[in-house]
Amino acid sequence: MGDSSPLPATSFQDLSAVLSLLAADTVEEKLSTETSYDWERMSSVWSTFGLVGAVRFNLKVCAGIASSERAGVHLSGSGGYTSFQTAHALSYWRLGDEDPAPISGWRDVQNQILARMTSSSPAWARIRPFYIVFGYSQCPFDLSHFRCVLELLIPVVWSLLTTALTTLPFVLLTGKDPTMIQIAMLVLQAGTGLFAGALGPLLLHRCNSSGVAHLSDLPQTRANQGIVVKEGDHIMTSASRMETQIIWQTSQTTKGLRSGDFWWMRLLCGLNSVVILGAYICSYVCLSYTPLKYQYVWLAVQTAILLGRYVLWAKRPLLFPHRPRCLIYAVSSSIVEPLPVEISNDPLDNDAFPTLSQEVIDFAVASAGSKVLNKQIEGNWRVQRSSLLDLANAAPSDLVDTRHVTTLREHFPPTNDETLFVHRLPWSFVEEVYAAQGLILGLNPWALGGLYLGAVLAKPKIGSSSKLAETPPKPIRFLGLTTVHPFREHASRCTTPKCASRHPQFTKAGITREGYLISNLVDGSVEQFFETIEPDLVPLHDQFLTNIEQCRSTSRSNGPGYLEIHAATAGKNISRMKLQSDAWMHGKGGRMNLDFVEKAIMHAKNEKPCRG
């Protein structure tokens, strides 16, 4: 083939290696980042220099993004493509799922539309805002408008250009009579441009869930009811970031699948890795049989493409029209009408106190679960939704007001048609119950010798209600609060042989301050009076109640009473905000005033396509 070298010149090899390493990290980042434009992702394979980064990215997705990180591989911003836990991911819980682990999944929102949320008011500086995400709006897609036609055509043009830029420089390495290795090289280069440069990145980005529903998909009745959270919504609470996110969902979006977890996407990325590696190896094999002058012409062309690509990346021009998403959300201090900070001195009316709604309980369970996982706390999860739902419409909204503390001797034994139960109130749950009602409690009083606070409930016995169909079932009654310690505290102090012989029966039980036996430490029934507790345990119970009283008395308001209404775009960090002073509709049971959401949903359903 004329003047050729069995291997490329040493200087040629050195320069190629340097350029490849310099470009690899940037290429990988362009492919990984969700905020990259389509042409930026496709340009990752325009030059041979940097294909190592494309191989690394495709191998990460093929092996599993979370698995790759655990193996020590840096993700370069690709954590948003998986619902598994990664370094920057946060735990989102789906509201209303059953025990024991209602986990919606992990989400890294650094490069997603949810990262645009912010609060404009300085009043939120040292408290925990609630970001309530209603959905996003976007110009409808309609092929009768030229702008939408361009949205289909431009990616096709970029795909063809990518395939051409990836393949044409290698025509220099083929002669009039190309060998099999040269034909294979051209085919693999074309495959690199078409599949690894165009098809793979487009599908990975287009099929990824943003975790936010389109406003037009939301039922209009959702806003009419003024209810902030409903079953299926996603909840995220982070203690380190001091914020809570509530994301409205539809039946289509609540699963929130990520494209990097699809088996077919991982298979495609695996094939892309093989194609890129095959093209890379074949190109250097063909270079070894190419005349030196063509080697350096090829090097000059690749370097020119590399430099041109860097210039485009630096300028980041928006080279075709697109339809950016606009996020609609609000910032609030609570999800229901806030509780007063000060406890009333009026006598407690046990028949007229406001009660907890299922809305607040469901939120508190999901929020507590999310916060615990985001703290990376190991151990058993003790918040059971099925148990705590019995508090709905029975327990007081000011749940740890110590004026509700009662003694079981006042209620035991119960009536013939009722059974007494003591439901455990975990601190993580109680803290979120108050946060939902606009209060931040004081220091955690629960960390005291394994004691816990329990809600005493009187539940109707199964089959105890009248057999007449028209007789409604008897409601669950809240009788008060009590403190409980594990049975092991008694067992470790007991010296009576007769009593000790019965200990194996009660290993999972608890004992109240008055000595009543509770069958288990979650939602046990009151079994019997066991015996008076040991004298050294009495001060612990008393101190525990004092700590709870101090925790409630030192609570503070979670923020201003108004509602911030925001609109933020995904394309640019632009946010517009207005205030709504009448945040609560007192005539509708203290529900949040969501009239503006109803109007936004109506506008989204009737919106016309963008012109251009």
Side-chain angles (χ1 to χ4, degrees), residues 249-300:
Q249 300 292 326
T250 65
S251 58
Q252 293 79 24
T253 62
T254 188
K255 293 182 179 179
L257 299 176
R258 317 295 193 278
S259 56
D261 298 330
F262 297 149
W263 67 267
W264 55 268
M265 179 58 70
R266 295 175 65 176
L267 178 61
L268 176 61
C269 288
L271 293 174
N272 286 342
S273 301
V274 173
V275 170
I276 296 171
L277 281 174
Y280 194 79
I281 294 171
C282 287
S283 64
Y284 278 92
V285 170
C286 291
L287 278 169
S288 65
Y289 297 102
T290 302
L292 283 175
K293 63 178 182 180
Y294 288 114
Q295 290 182 11
Y296 285 101
V297 171
W298 176 88
L299 177 62

Side-chain angles (χ1 to χ4, degrees), residues 12 37 47 52 65 93 95 174 195 248 303 325 331 347 424 428 437 439 451 466 493-494 523 546 586 588:
F12 180 86
Y37 297 136
S47 172
V52 174
I65 294 173
W93 279 47
L95 197 85
T174 60
F195 292 99
W248 285 15
T303 305
R325 293 178 176 180
V331 186
R424 184 184 189 123
S428 56
Q437 299 177 99
L439 291 185
L451 275 68
S466 172
R493 293 168 171 81
C494 180
D523 53 1
T546 301
H586 299 282
K588 295 187 178 181

Side-chain angles (χ1 to χ4, degrees), residues 1-5 7-9 12 16 47-49 51 165-189 278-302:
M1 294 180 64
D3 183 19
S4 63
S5 171
L7 288 173
F12 180 86
S16 297
S47 172
T48 297
F49 305 138
L51 285 182
L165 287 173
T166 307
T167 309
L168 291 180
F170 289 89
V171 175
L172 296 170
L173 306 184
T174 60
K176 294 181 179 179
D177 298 316
T179 61
M180 289 299 296
I181 188 68
Q182 290 173 334
I183 294 174
M185 175 195 65
L186 291 175
V187 172
L188 289 171
Q189 289 293 342
Y280 194 79
I281 294 171
C282 287
S283 64
Y284 278 92
V285 170
C286 291
L287 278 169
S288 65
Y289 297 102
T290 302
L292 283 175
K293 63 178 182 180
Y294 288 114
Q295 290 182 11
Y296 285 101
V297 171
W298 176 88
L299 177 62
V301 172
Q302 291 291 339

Side-chain angles (χ1 to χ4, degrees), residues 319-496:
L319 299 176
F320 64 93
H322 69 301
R323 297 173 299 125
R325 293 178 176 180
C326 182
L327 190 69
I328 308 297
Y329 67 98
V331 186
S332 176
S333 61
S334 63
I335 65 170
V336 295
E337 191 168 8
L339 287 174
V341 176
E342 301 294 333
I343 300 177
S344 174
N345 293 323
D346 297 334
L348 187 65
D349 186 351
N350 287 324
D351 297 324
F353 54 75
T355 58
L356 283 176
S357 64
Q358 182 174 338
E359 175 186 1
V360 171
I361 293 174
D362 272 337
F363 166 82
V365 170
S367 181
S370 173
K371 182 194 285 188
V372 168
L373 288 182
N374 285 329
K375 286 182 177 178
Q376 309 297 319
I377 295 177
E378 299 291 339
N380 295 326
W381 176 239
R382 293 186 176 181
V383 177
Q384 295 188 7
R385 175 179 179 266
S386 57
S387 168
L388 294 170
L389 280 179
D390 287 340
L391 301 174
N393 303 314
S397 54
D398 199 348
L399 189 56
V400 296
D401 184 347
T402 52
R403 293 181 297 170
H404 291 291
V405 173
T406 186
T407 56
L408 285 180
R409 69 173 65 95
E410 298 177 16
H411 312 288
F412 191 87
T415 59
N416 291 332
D417 58 347
E418 289 183 324
T419 304
L420 296 188
F421 288 84
V422 177
H423 285 236
R424 184 184 189 123
L425 300 176
W427 163 251
S428 56
F429 168 75
V430 171
E431 188 179 25
E432 296 309 305
V433 164
Y434 276 88
Q437 299 177 99
L439 291 185
I440 302 297
L441 290 176
L443 295 177
N444 178 6
W446 263 245
L448 184 65
L451 275 68
Y452 71 85
L453 189 67
V456 183
L457 302 178
K459 301 183 187 180
K461 291 181 179 178
I462 298 176
S464 63
S465 59
S466 172
K467 295 183 179 180
L468 296 176
E470 62 271 11
T471 303
K474 194 173 182 179
I476 296 175
R477 295 188 299 123
F478 173 80
L479 303 180
L481 301 173
T482 189
T483 53
V484 182
H485 65 262
F487 185 84
R488 66 174 181 270
E489 299 294 337
H490 162 77
S492 64
R493 293 168 171 81
C494 180
T495 57
T496 306

Side-chain angles (χ1 to χ4, degrees), residues 132-135 211-213 215 218-219 222-223 226-230 232-234 246-250 253 594 597 601:
I132 308 168
V133 181
F134 306 109
V212 183
L215 284 172
L218 293 171
R222 177 77 197 258
I227 298 176
V228 176
V229 292
K230 295 188 72 174
D233 290 349
H234 291 180
I246 300 170
I247 307 174
W248 285 15
Q249 300 292 326
T250 65
T253 62
L594 299 177
V597 181
I601 293 174

